[in-house]
């Protein structure tokens, strides 16, 4: 229940947070078959938020196991369908946990569910595809050649999320789904395990690279800006007419103090991490409706129910216009 409530808030909140979300090739994600979405990982938890807002079926997301150490945190993370993933290199005690994670993923997928795996293994705020780990390849091999016949139909969809920037609201995002990978495309015999994994990773790398913008780290600031603008040229938004621009200006002025308060708080809490964007959006998503509700009650008790309803409808609408329409 909490997952569906959260997804409802995500779909309401993203238009207030993003300048525009452009989705390419969404039809590549089947709804009547097991699905493994192999995604890049440049935006921390926010990557799963963006993908989950678009995919029709509920998604389960593989997430680093250490964030589940706190039982209270683990409860809520589980409630939004996050699955802990562990590394055998971090201790022999994790080997059994890895098996449980795989079993959980396969249980989801064989019932036509979708699982997101971040194939790079780590999150870095940059416009590059980092070397892929073997986790996705191992899952593919076990699913395609294991005993569960339903998993032989597993569709592995290369997925790429490209952000205009990585710090806060008012940005364009392109979510692109690549060509599905099927077992028939791997020429190496499945019995030659290590070679098979290498060939799979090479193919996945090629297709994932085609879903994102890649900019070398040594690129100058001006050239980086030019490449970003070129990449997002097909993800443009209308500046609107003079009325919308005026309303947008009013909306930004009203919300700026609240947004700055949130942004400063989150910046302090997430310093030297990659979690700024995901924490900021999550905090706004869950608490902004409460703020609007409380203001509605206060204003309504003083000015009457009609004034209260105007606040309840008007504030989110002004936030939307403020984010979307700029001169």
């Amino acid at each position: 229940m909490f997952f569906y409530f959260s997804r409802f808030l995500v779909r309401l909140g993203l238009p207030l947070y993003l300048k525009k979300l452009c989705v390419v090739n969404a039809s590549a994600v089947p709804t009547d078959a097991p699905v493994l979405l192999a995604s890049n990982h440049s935006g921390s938890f926010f990557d799963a938020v963006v993908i989950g807002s678009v995919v029709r079926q509920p998604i389960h997301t593989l997430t680093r196991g250490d964030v589940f150490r706190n039982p209270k945190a683990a409860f809520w993370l589980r409630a939004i369908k996050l699955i802990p993933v562990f590394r055998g290199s971090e201790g022999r005690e994790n080997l059994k946990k890895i098996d449980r994670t795989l079993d959980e993923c396969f249980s989801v997928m064989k019932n036509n569910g979708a699982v997101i795996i971040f194939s790079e293994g780590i999150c870095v705020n940059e416009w590059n595809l980092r070397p892929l780990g073997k986790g996705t390849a191992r899952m593919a091999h076990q699913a395609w050649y294991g005993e569960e016949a339903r998993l032989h139909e597993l569709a592995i969809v290369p997925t790429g999320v490209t952000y205009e920037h990585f710090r806060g609201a008012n940005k364009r995002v392109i979510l692109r789904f690549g060509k599905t990978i099927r077992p028939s495309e791997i020429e190496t015999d499945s019995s030659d395990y290590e070679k098979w994994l290498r060939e799979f990773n090479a193919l996945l790398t090629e297709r994932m690279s085609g879903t994102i913008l890649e900019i070398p780290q040594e690129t100058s600031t001006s050239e980086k800006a030019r490449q970003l603008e070129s990449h997002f040229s097909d993800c443009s938004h209308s500046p609107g007419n003079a009325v919308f621009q005026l309303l947008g200006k009013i909306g930004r002025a009203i919300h700026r103090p609240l947004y700055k308060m949130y942004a400063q708080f989150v910046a302090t809490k997430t310093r030297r991490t990659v979690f700024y964007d995901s924490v900021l959006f999550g905090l706004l998503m869950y608490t902004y409706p409460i703020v609007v509700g409380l203001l509605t009650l206060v204003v309504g008790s003083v000015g009457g129910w009609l004034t209260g309803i105007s606040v309840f409808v008007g504030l989110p609408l002004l936030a939307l216009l403020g984010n979307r329409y700029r001169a």
Side-chain angles (χ1 to χ4, degrees), residues 57-113:
Q57 61 266 55
I59 62 165
H60 293 68
T61 305
L62 285 165
T63 307
R64 47 191 281 188
D66 59 340
V67 299
F68 290 79
R69 288 174 181 167
N70 184 306
K72 292 181 179 179
F75 174 83
W76 292 109
L77 294 174
R78 282 292 193 175
I80 54 175
K81 300 188 184 299
L82 299 187
I83 301 174
V85 60
F86 303 90
R87 299 181 181 182
S89 60
E90 295 174 351
R92 294 183 61 185
E93 67 277 5
N94 284 339
L95 295 178
K96 290 184 178 179
K97 294 179 181 179
I98 293 171
D99 289 337
R100 287 200 297 269
T101 294
L102 288 174
D103 289 342
E104 187 172 349
C105 291
F106 291 150
S107 177
V108 168
M109 292 188 292
K110 72 182 182 182
N111 290 303
N112 292 344

Side-chain angles (χ1 to χ4, degrees), residues 3 55 68 115 157 171 207 221 259 309:
F3 170 82
V55 176
F68 290 79
V115 172
V157 183
K171 58 169 163 265
R207 294 201 180 164
T221 302
Y259 178 79
I309 291 177

Side-chain angles (χ1 to χ4, degrees), residues 27-288:
S27 61
V29 183
T31 57
D32 57 351
V35 179
L36 181 62
L37 299 166
S39 175
N40 69 315
H41 200 22
S42 62
S44 184
F45 293 119
F46 198 58
D47 297 330
V49 169
V50 171
I51 298 169
S53 72
V54 171
V55 176
R56 291 174 59 187
Q57 61 266 55
I59 62 165
H60 293 68
T61 305
L62 285 165
T63 307
R64 47 191 281 188
D66 59 340
V67 299
F68 290 79
R69 288 174 181 167
N70 184 306
K72 292 181 179 179
F75 174 83
W76 292 109
L77 294 174
R78 282 292 193 175
I80 54 175
K81 300 188 184 299
L82 299 187
I83 301 174
V85 60
F86 303 90
R87 299 181 181 182
S89 60
E90 295 174 351
R92 294 183 61 185
E93 67 277 5
N94 284 339
L95 295 178
K96 290 184 178 179
K97 294 179 181 179
I98 293 171
D99 289 337
R100 287 200 297 269
T101 294
L102 288 174
D103 289 342
E104 187 172 349
C105 291
F106 291 150
S107 177
V108 168
M109 292 188 292
K110 72 182 182 182
N111 290 303
N112 292 344
V115 172
I116 299 175
I117 182 170
F118 298 112
S119 300
E120 296 165 294
I122 61 172
C123 173
V124 180
N125 293 152
E126 63 180 20
W127 294 280
N128 274 307
L129 183 66
R130 301 179 69 83
L132 305 187
K134 293 183 178 180
T136 309
R138 287 172 177 154
M139 286 184 70
H141 189 279
Q142 190 166 334
W144 284 338
Y145 305 109
E147 296 179 357
E148 179 58 60
R150 186 74 181 111
L151 294 177
H152 297 172
E153 304 172 27
L154 176 65
I156 298 180
V157 183
T159 305
V161 187
T162 302
Y163 300 98
E164 189 173 15
H165 60 78
F166 298 104
R167 297 288 291 185
N170 187 37
K171 58 169 163 265
R172 291 172 289 179
V173 179
I174 297 178
L175 170 60
R176 187 185 302 272
F177 298 101
K179 182 181 176 183
T180 299
I181 297 177
R182 300 288 185 180
S184 58
E185 298 181 79
I186 310 298
E187 296 180 359
T188 301
D189 190 276
S190 61
S191 61
D192 193 347
Y193 186 63
E194 291 299 328
K195 185 178 179 182
W196 191 97
L197 296 182
R198 289 194 296 272
E199 184 182 347
F200 177 93
N201 261 8
L203 178 60
L204 180 59
T205 298
E206 177 187 338
R207 294 201 180 164
M208 286 182 68
S209 293
T211 66
I212 63 172
L213 170 67
E214 294 195 78
I215 304 177
Q217 289 185 332
E218 63 273 13
T219 303
S220 67
T221 302
S222 59
E223 175 60 18
K224 187 179 297 183
R226 187 197 67 77
Q227 290 189 36
L228 283 166
E229 189 57 40
S230 175
H231 185 76
F232 283 95
S233 61
D234 292 332
C235 187
S236 58
H237 67 291
S238 170
N241 56 35
V243 174
F244 283 146
Q245 289 178 10
L246 176 61
L247 290 173
K249 189 174 182 179
I250 294 172
R252 289 193 297 277
I254 291 174
H255 286 86
R256 188 173 292 115
L258 180 65
Y259 178 79
K260 282 189 174 181
M261 181 181 71
Y262 274 80
Q264 290 171 1
F265 173 77
V266 173
T268 300
K269 295 297 183 181
T270 61
R271 186 179 291 115
R272 298 188 182 92
T273 75
V274 294
F275 301 122
Y276 176 82
D277 225 36
S278 52
V279 173
L280 177 59
F281 176 76
L283 195 60
L284 285 166
M285 180 182 78
Y286 287 118
T287 62
Y288 180 69

